[in-house]
Amino acid sequence: MKTKKKHVLLITVDQWSANYLGCAGNEEILTPSLDELARYGIRYPNAVSNTPVCIPARRELMLGVGSRTHGDRKFNELLPLPQDIPSMAQVFRNNGYQAYCVGKLHVFPQRDRIGFDDVLLHEEGRHKEGMAQDDYERFLSRSGYAGLEMGHGMCNNNYFSRPFHLPEEYNVTNWAVKNMCEYIIRRDTTKPAFWYLSFAAPHPPLVPPKDYLDFYENMEFSEPKCGEWTNQSSDVLPYAYNYYRNLYNMDNKTASDIAKKAYYASCTYIDHQLRLVIGTLREQGILDDTVILFTADHGEMLGSNHLYGKFLMYENSVKIPFILSPASDSKMQCSRIDERLVELKDVMPTLLTLAGLEVPDYVEGRSLTEEWEREYSYGELWEDDRATRMILTKEWKLIYYCTGNIFQLFNVKNDPYELFDLSEKEEYQEIKAQLIEKLIDNLYGQDLELIKDGRLVGLPFKKYDFNASLADGNKLFQGRDMLLQRGLR
């Protein structure tokens, strides 16, 4: 008898660190649904986003290949997906699956369905190359709230907050969940399905429903943990670190608590809404035959080491939640934690394998259904003054800032908050040298110019100048536009 193909539900969130889960030991955040999913599934605490910013990370997720192959390590908003690499959605469809997506894709052109039968798109207010509205904006227009997606006045890249300004049923998280449940209910029952539910939250704007802010009203939050190395003069700290530290004026407990409260409330709202998706699968009688994977494109620093957002190679930026719940008849052992180093390119081969499908030869990731160990992960982002590279093992992390030829070394096993930079300590020079050798082995393209006579020499040190950065048109944020604030439409 032919084995019945499994349904697959891939859930991603945007900008959620692995540390922001109750099951990961965080006692300040409420994530009961994800904690339950992890209790009966498999949690991977060492899952990594190798290019911790939206577009490159999502290309890796959807193609099963790293940035060197998919072609973007610098957030290229106008770069189409490679035409010679079928997406995960396309591979599922080629194998007889129906494939539907709700939420954020962040591809170009924006209406490219990248292999899905249909996409209900939310692009967070980005309008590129003639796209005037995404599907969430069209929903608001039909509902009498045209142009009010950003009517709350909060920014997609800042940490001010307020309750959501419209009735809860018009919140984009609620919209995404309702539409995913509709896709599940309205599926073709003669075919298996691949569903991709892609939340834009908890990425700012931080505008959860008021009920969820109230959950945290009386919470006493701990102060963000900041390493002793962050107290050095900006004259010696890496240019990229200074650049991102100066993006936000958040270095006080009050601002930190406001941001954490709203951010955690956004996470909890997603967590509770996920129960509706699980419940729909159960009531449709297909939960036991559905593979579920929850993960994120990258993390969120949320004040640790005086940083907000992502971009840099510190733990809260590169470590992502990764919870796998195989179908009920899977031979994978569940109710456990798997300590392996996992990367976003492993998602595609894992889901294909659990669905009973062959993994294409071009895929660089590895299926978590197999026994293997990844020795280290290589991370890279940007090709300008902010260029940062990383080698990460389960015990050690080497961070390399190309500008200034600056190294940082952390024992992430014993010092998970990266409070102590060991790069100049004599007793760790051998470990540092071994990691540098691995780093050099992974460099390519313009990075080869950083090497001379087999040694990393990097680029000249550059002192960070706040006013100069505001005037630099090549940078992501300009300052005067309030971190890309969007208006009424």
PDB file of all heavy atoms in Angstrom, residues 126-147:
ATOM      1  N   ARG A 126       5.648  48.241   2.287  1.00  0.00           N
ATOM      2  CA  ARG A 126       6.627  48.453   1.207  1.00  0.00           C
ATOM      3  C   ARG A 126       5.914  48.404  -0.137  1.00  0.00           C
ATOM      4  O   ARG A 126       5.221  47.435  -0.442  1.00  0.00           O
ATOM      5  CB  ARG A 126       7.715  47.368   1.243  1.00  0.00           C
ATOM      6  CG  ARG A 126       8.723  47.504   2.345  1.00  0.00           C
ATOM      7  CD  ARG A 126       9.773  46.398   2.226  1.00  0.00           C
ATOM      8  NE  ARG A 126       9.144  45.088   2.363  1.00  0.00           N
ATOM      9  CZ  ARG A 126       8.948  44.483   3.536  1.00  0.00           C
ATOM     10  NH1 ARG A 126       9.364  45.048   4.645  1.00  0.00           N
ATOM     11  NH2 ARG A 126       8.360  43.300   3.591  1.00  0.00           N
ATOM     12  N   HIS A 127       6.114  49.420  -0.943  1.00  0.00           N
ATOM     13  CA  HIS A 127       5.550  49.467  -2.288  1.00  0.00           C
ATOM     14  C   HIS A 127       6.696  49.618  -3.279  1.00  0.00           C
ATOM     15  O   HIS A 127       7.327  50.663  -3.374  1.00  0.00           O
ATOM     16  CB  HIS A 127       4.573  50.635  -2.432  1.00  0.00           C
ATOM     17  CG  HIS A 127       3.339  50.490  -1.606  1.00  0.00           C
ATOM     18  ND1 HIS A 127       2.465  51.537  -1.360  1.00  0.00           N
ATOM     19  CD2 HIS A 127       2.811  49.421  -0.950  1.00  0.00           C
ATOM     20  CE1 HIS A 127       1.460  51.120  -0.609  1.00  0.00           C
ATOM     21  NE2 HIS A 127       1.653  49.834  -0.342  1.00  0.00           N
ATOM     22  N   LYS A 128       6.977  48.559  -4.029  1.00  0.00           N
ATOM     23  CA  LYS A 128       8.079  48.558  -4.987  1.00  0.00           C
ATOM     24  C   LYS A 128       7.552  48.349  -6.399  1.00  0.00           C
ATOM     25  O   LYS A 128       6.642  47.535  -6.615  1.00  0.00           O
ATOM     26  CB  LYS A 128       9.079  47.438  -4.658  1.00  0.00           C
ATOM     27  CG  LYS A 128       9.651  47.488  -3.248  1.00  0.00           C
ATOM     28  CD  LYS A 128      10.642  48.605  -3.083  1.00  0.00           C
ATOM     29  CE  LYS A 128      11.249  48.578  -1.681  1.00  0.00           C
ATOM     30  NZ  LYS A 128      12.141  49.719  -1.436  1.00  0.00           N
ATOM     31  N   GLU A 129       8.155  49.049  -7.349  1.00  0.00           N
ATOM     32  CA  GLU A 129       7.927  48.808  -8.777  1.00  0.00           C
ATOM     33  C   GLU A 129       6.447  48.698  -9.136  1.00  0.00           C
ATOM     34  O   GLU A 129       6.012  47.757  -9.812  1.00  0.00           O
ATOM     35  CB  GLU A 129       8.659  47.517  -9.202  1.00  0.00           C
ATOM     36  CG  GLU A 129      10.170  47.559  -8.972  1.00  0.00           C
ATOM     37  CD  GLU A 129      10.862  48.555  -9.886  1.00  0.00           C
ATOM     38  OE1 GLU A 129      10.565  48.550 -11.083  1.00  0.00           O
ATOM     39  OE2 GLU A 129      11.707  49.330  -9.387  1.00  0.00           O
ATOM     40  N   GLY A 130       5.673  49.648  -8.629  1.00  0.00           N
ATOM     41  CA  GLY A 130       4.291  49.742  -9.086  1.00  0.00           C
ATOM     42  C   GLY A 130       3.248  49.041  -8.246  1.00  0.00           C
ATOM     43  O   GLY A 130       2.054  49.176  -8.526  1.00  0.00           O
ATOM     44  N   MET A 131       3.637  48.264  -7.231  1.00  0.00           N
ATOM     45  CA  MET A 131       2.619  47.625  -6.387  1.00  0.00           C
ATOM     46  C   MET A 131       2.062  48.663  -5.421  1.00  0.00           C
ATOM     47  O   MET A 131       2.771  49.156  -4.544  1.00  0.00           O
ATOM     48  CB  MET A 131       3.191  46.442  -5.604  1.00  0.00           C
ATOM     49  CG  MET A 131       2.078  45.643  -4.917  1.00  0.00           C
ATOM     50  SD  MET A 131       2.640  44.320  -3.818  1.00  0.00           S
ATOM     51  CE  MET A 131       2.994  45.270  -2.335  1.00  0.00           C
ATOM     52  N   ALA A 132       0.775  48.999  -5.565  1.00  0.00           N
ATOM     53  CA  ALA A 132       0.172  50.055  -4.766  1.00  0.00           C
ATOM     54  C   ALA A 132      -0.414  49.550  -3.457  1.00  0.00           C
ATOM     55  O   ALA A 132      -0.510  50.303  -2.483  1.00  0.00           O
ATOM     56  CB  ALA A 132      -0.917  50.758  -5.574  1.00  0.00           C
ATOM     57  N   GLN A 133      -0.820  48.274  -3.413  1.00  0.00           N
ATOM     58  CA  GLN A 133      -1.414  47.703  -2.212  1.00  0.00           C
ATOM     59  C   GLN A 133      -1.052  46.229  -2.104  1.00  0.00           C
ATOM     60  O   GLN A 133      -1.023  45.518  -3.111  1.00  0.00           O
ATOM     61  CB  GLN A 133      -2.952  47.796  -2.246  1.00  0.00           C
ATOM     62  CG  GLN A 133      -3.543  49.154  -1.961  1.00  0.00           C
ATOM     63  CD  GLN A 133      -5.060  49.064  -1.882  1.00  0.00           C
ATOM     64  OE1 GLN A 133      -5.701  48.372  -2.667  1.00  0.00           O
ATOM     65  NE2 GLN A 133      -5.649  49.750  -0.912  1.00  0.00           N
ATOM     66  N   ASP A 134      -0.788  45.781  -0.877  1.00  0.00           N
ATOM     67  CA  ASP A 134      -0.707  44.341  -0.669  1.00  0.00           C
ATOM     68  C   ASP A 134      -2.096  43.848  -0.262  1.00  0.00           C
ATOM     69  O   ASP A 134      -3.061  44.628  -0.192  1.00  0.00           O
ATOM     70  CB  ASP A 134       0.372  43.981   0.348  1.00  0.00           C
ATOM     71  CG  ASP A 134       0.116  44.534   1.748  1.00  0.00           C
ATOM     72  OD1 ASP A 134      -1.059  44.784   2.105  1.00  0.00           O
ATOM     73  OD2 ASP A 134       1.097  44.715   2.499  1.00  0.00           O
ATOM     74  N   ASP A 135      -2.225  42.568   0.007  1.00  0.00           N
ATOM     75  CA  ASP A 135      -3.558  41.997   0.261  1.00  0.00           C
ATOM     76  C   ASP A 135      -4.123  42.391   1.618  1.00  0.00           C
ATOM     77  O   ASP A 135      -5.350  42.463   1.788  1.00  0.00           O
ATOM     78  CB  ASP A 135      -3.504  40.472   0.116  1.00  0.00           C
ATOM     79  CG  ASP A 135      -3.200  40.061  -1.308  1.00  0.00           C
ATOM     80  OD1 ASP A 135      -3.888  40.547  -2.222  1.00  0.00           O
ATOM     81  OD2 ASP A 135      -2.253  39.284  -1.523  1.00  0.00           O
ATOM     82  N   TYR A 136      -3.260  42.662   2.583  1.00  0.00           N
ATOM     83  CA  TYR A 136      -3.740  43.157   3.875  1.00  0.00           C
ATOM     84  C   TYR A 136      -4.290  44.568   3.718  1.00  0.00           C
ATOM     85  O   TYR A 136      -5.359  44.897   4.255  1.00  0.00           O
ATOM     86  CB  TYR A 136      -2.609  43.111   4.902  1.00  0.00           C
ATOM     87  CG  TYR A 136      -2.958  43.756   6.227  1.00  0.00           C
ATOM     88  CD1 TYR A 136      -3.996  43.261   7.009  1.00  0.00           C
ATOM     89  CD2 TYR A 136      -2.250  44.866   6.685  1.00  0.00           C
ATOM     90  CE1 TYR A 136      -4.322  43.857   8.228  1.00  0.00           C
ATOM     91  CE2 TYR A 136      -2.555  45.457   7.908  1.00  0.00           C
ATOM     92  CZ  TYR A 136      -3.594  44.957   8.669  1.00  0.00           C
ATOM     93  OH  TYR A 136      -3.921  45.538   9.871  1.00  0.00           O
ATOM     94  N   GLU A 137      -3.597  45.398   2.968  1.00  0.00           N
ATOM     95  CA  GLU A 137      -4.085  46.754   2.720  1.00  0.00           C
ATOM     96  C   GLU A 137      -5.416  46.718   1.961  1.00  0.00           C
ATOM     97  O   GLU A 137      -6.323  47.517   2.231  1.00  0.00           O
ATOM     98  CB  GLU A 137      -3.049  47.543   1.934  1.00  0.00           C
ATOM     99  CG  GLU A 137      -1.784  47.866   2.733  1.00  0.00           C
ATOM    100  CD  GLU A 137      -0.707  48.504   1.878  1.00  0.00           C
ATOM    101  OE1 GLU A 137      -0.145  47.809   1.006  1.00  0.00           O
ATOM    102  OE2 GLU A 137      -0.430  49.701   2.076  1.00  0.00           O
ATOM    103  N   ARG A 138      -5.535  45.817   1.015  1.00  0.00           N
ATOM    104  CA  ARG A 138      -6.793  45.675   0.261  1.00  0.00           C
ATOM    105  C   ARG A 138      -7.932  45.238   1.199  1.00  0.00           C
ATOM    106  O   ARG A 138      -9.067  45.695   1.068  1.00  0.00           O
ATOM    107  CB  ARG A 138      -6.612  44.667  -0.872  1.00  0.00           C
ATOM    108  CG  ARG A 138      -5.769  45.196  -2.021  1.00  0.00           C
ATOM    109  CD  ARG A 138      -5.430  44.100  -3.035  1.00  0.00           C
ATOM    110  NE  ARG A 138      -6.612  43.425  -3.542  1.00  0.00           N
ATOM    111  CZ  ARG A 138      -7.427  43.903  -4.460  1.00  0.00           C
ATOM    112  NH1 ARG A 138      -7.191  45.100  -4.979  1.00  0.00           N
ATOM    113  NH2 ARG A 138      -8.475  43.213  -4.872  1.00  0.00           N
ATOM    114  N   PHE A 139      -7.597  44.348   2.151  1.00  0.00           N
ATOM    115  CA  PHE A 139      -8.582  43.920   3.146  1.00  0.00           C
ATOM    116  C   PHE A 139      -9.061  45.108   3.978  1.00  0.00           C
ATOM    117  O   PHE A 139     -10.264  45.284   4.205  1.00  0.00           O
ATOM    118  CB  PHE A 139      -7.965  42.844   4.032  1.00  0.00           C
ATOM    119  CG  PHE A 139      -8.675  42.615   5.338  1.00  0.00           C
ATOM    120  CD1 PHE A 139      -9.920  41.997   5.387  1.00  0.00           C
ATOM    121  CD2 PHE A 139      -8.086  43.009   6.536  1.00  0.00           C
ATOM    122  CE1 PHE A 139     -10.566  41.772   6.592  1.00  0.00           C
ATOM    123  CE2 PHE A 139      -8.729  42.798   7.746  1.00  0.00           C
ATOM    124  CZ  PHE A 139      -9.968  42.185   7.777  1.00  0.00           C
ATOM    125  N   LEU A 140      -8.125  45.946   4.431  1.00  0.00           N
ATOM    126  CA  LEU A 140      -8.518  47.121   5.213  1.00  0.00           C
ATOM    127  C   LEU A 140      -9.374  48.073   4.389  1.00  0.00           C
ATOM    128  O   LEU A 140     -10.344  48.654   4.893  1.00  0.00           O
ATOM    129  CB  LEU A 140      -7.275  47.842   5.740  1.00  0.00           C
ATOM    130  CG  LEU A 140      -6.455  47.131   6.815  1.00  0.00           C
ATOM    131  CD1 LEU A 140      -5.305  48.016   7.271  1.00  0.00           C
ATOM    132  CD2 LEU A 140      -7.316  46.730   8.012  1.00  0.00           C
ATOM    133  N   SER A 141      -9.026  48.221   3.109  1.00  0.00           N
ATOM    134  CA  SER A 141      -9.806  49.109   2.239  1.00  0.00           C
ATOM    135  C   SER A 141     -11.238  48.617   2.099  1.00  0.00           C
ATOM    136  O   SER A 141     -12.201  49.392   2.184  1.00  0.00           O
ATOM    137  CB  SER A 141      -9.155  49.198   0.863  1.00  0.00           C
ATOM    138  OG  SER A 141      -7.882  49.810   0.944  1.00  0.00           O
ATOM    139  N   ARG A 142     -11.408  47.323   1.905  1.00  0.00           N
ATOM    140  CA  ARG A 142     -12.745  46.758   1.771  1.00  0.00           C
ATOM    141  C   ARG A 142     -13.549  46.859   3.075  1.00  0.00           C
ATOM    142  O   ARG A 142     -14.778  46.831   3.069  1.00  0.00           O
ATOM    143  CB  ARG A 142     -12.673  45.281   1.352  1.00  0.00           C
ATOM    144  CG  ARG A 142     -12.093  45.046  -0.031  1.00  0.00           C
ATOM    145  CD  ARG A 142     -12.323  43.604  -0.484  1.00  0.00           C
ATOM    146  NE  ARG A 142     -11.771  42.620   0.423  1.00  0.00           N
ATOM    147  CZ  ARG A 142     -10.529  42.137   0.353  1.00  0.00           C
ATOM    148  NH1 ARG A 142      -9.701  42.587  -0.584  1.00  0.00           N
ATOM    149  NH2 ARG A 142     -10.114  41.222   1.202  1.00  0.00           N
ATOM    150  N   SER A 143     -12.828  46.967   4.191  1.00  0.00           N
ATOM    151  CA  SER A 143     -13.473  46.973   5.506  1.00  0.00           C
ATOM    152  C   SER A 143     -13.746  48.382   6.027  1.00  0.00           C
ATOM    153  O   SER A 143     -14.198  48.552   7.167  1.00  0.00           O
ATOM    154  CB  SER A 143     -12.595  46.222   6.522  1.00  0.00           C
ATOM    155  OG  SER A 143     -12.331  44.913   6.079  1.00  0.00           O
ATOM    156  N   GLY A 144     -13.446  49.387   5.207  1.00  0.00           N
ATOM    157  CA  GLY A 144     -13.710  50.761   5.618  1.00  0.00           C
ATOM    158  C   GLY A 144     -12.556  51.449   6.310  1.00  0.00           C
ATOM    159  O   GLY A 144     -12.731  52.535   6.882  1.00  0.00           O
ATOM    160  N   TYR A 145     -11.370  50.854   6.256  1.00  0.00           N
ATOM    161  CA  TYR A 145     -10.196  51.451   6.909  1.00  0.00           C
ATOM    162  C   TYR A 145      -9.077  51.703   5.895  1.00  0.00           C
ATOM    163  O   TYR A 145      -7.895  51.499   6.180  1.00  0.00           O
ATOM    164  CB  TYR A 145      -9.683  50.534   8.022  1.00  0.00           C
ATOM    165  CG  TYR A 145     -10.653  50.373   9.171  1.00  0.00           C
ATOM    166  CD1 TYR A 145     -11.346  49.182   9.357  1.00  0.00           C
ATOM    167  CD2 TYR A 145     -10.889  51.417  10.053  1.00  0.00           C
ATOM    168  CE1 TYR A 145     -12.249  49.020  10.406  1.00  0.00           C
ATOM    169  CE2 TYR A 145     -11.789  51.277  11.107  1.00  0.00           C
ATOM    170  CZ  TYR A 145     -12.455  50.073  11.276  1.00  0.00           C
ATOM    171  OH  TYR A 145     -13.344  49.940  12.320  1.00  0.00           O
ATOM    172  N   ALA A 146      -9.435  52.169   4.721  1.00  0.00           N
ATOM    173  CA  ALA A 146      -8.455  52.399   3.662  1.00  0.00           C
ATOM    174  C   ALA A 146      -7.359  53.353   4.118  1.00  0.00           C
ATOM    175  O   ALA A 146      -7.628  54.410   4.699  1.00  0.00           O
ATOM    176  CB  ALA A 146      -9.159  52.962   2.423  1.00  0.00           C
ATOM    177  N   GLY A 147      -6.114  52.956   3.859  1.00  0.00           N
ATOM    178  CA  GLY A 147      -4.975  53.813   4.153  1.00  0.00           C
ATOM    179  C   GLY A 147      -4.545  53.861   5.598  1.00  0.00           C
ATOM    180  O   GLY A 147      -3.616  54.594   5.954  1.00  0.00           O
TER     181      GLY A 147
END
